[in-house]
Amino acid sequence: MTQTTLAIIGGTGLTTLKGLEITRREVMHTPYGEPSGPLTHGLLAGREVVFLARHGYSHTIPPHQVNYRANIWALKHAGVHGVVAVAAVGGITTEMAPRRIAFPDQIIDYTWSRAHTFFDQDLTHVTHVDFTEPYDPALRQRLIAAARSIGVDAVERGTYAATQGPRLETAAEINRLERDGCDMVGMTGMPEAVLARELELPYATCAVIANWAAGRGEGEITMDEVQENIAAAMSNVRHVLETTIETL
């Protein structure tokens, strides 16, 4: 990545970006409908960024109803040159403890019925995109380097299981995901990642482990617990984002 304009997609717990000096808000209309909200342009660590809350600025859009195509199309046409997606996940393997952050390097898609490609209508030819490495290696390494430089305890790789939601998983489903090689589970990783690849936007995820996945912790998963863990981790997320942006 040689350009400085970065997009940050905020997930659960990041509907606003603290420290962002807002310069303007831009309402975008796309061929795929309306994005989750206006794009917020501003300066973070002295660099231009564009912020978008994935679930809407009031957190009212569930994962399976996010208009991923409109969001990614809007960011591309706003002129950004890379996307960092912040996402809350459940921890499956032992190192994915709540309040840590992780930078996945692989993803498995378990979603269904979502509009998952830009290449499905009015085609002159069939288009296949390479998705061997679903996250941009250079952008991932910038995030990893930023975390290391400020001493943030981050997991530097892992496989993200993208499930349909909005319900959480059963313990048996989590056992299956682990057998499949997954380290964390979330509901927004796909088709967001592949849509960015189709539009040639470098894309990486900063995953916030919000809770132990079903059957991995004690008792049932509560939203109070999830929100508490996300709030505790968000300071590290912001510092990593700021440090990453400073290096662009």
Side-chain angles (χ1 to χ4, degrees), residues 152-172:
V152 168
D153 177 30
V155 185
E156 296 184 359
R157 61 178 56 252
T159 297
Y160 179 125
T163 57
Q164 178 70 1
R167 69 167 178 86
L168 299 177
E169 299 73 32
T170 68

Side-chain angles (χ1 to χ4, degrees), residues 176-221:
R176 172 203 174 195
L177 296 181
E178 186 168 24
R179 289 194 298 271
D180 284 352
C182 299
D183 300 285
M184 67 195 86
V185 57
M187 302 175 189
T188 58
M190 289 291 285
E192 198 172 84
V194 73
L195 292 169
R197 178 61 51 86
E198 287 185 348
L199 293 188
E200 300 181 348
L201 273 177
Y203 176 97
T205 288
C206 176
V208 182
I209 295 93
N211 55 277
W212 286 114
R216 294 298 187 268
E218 296 181 4
E220 66 180 46
I221 300 167

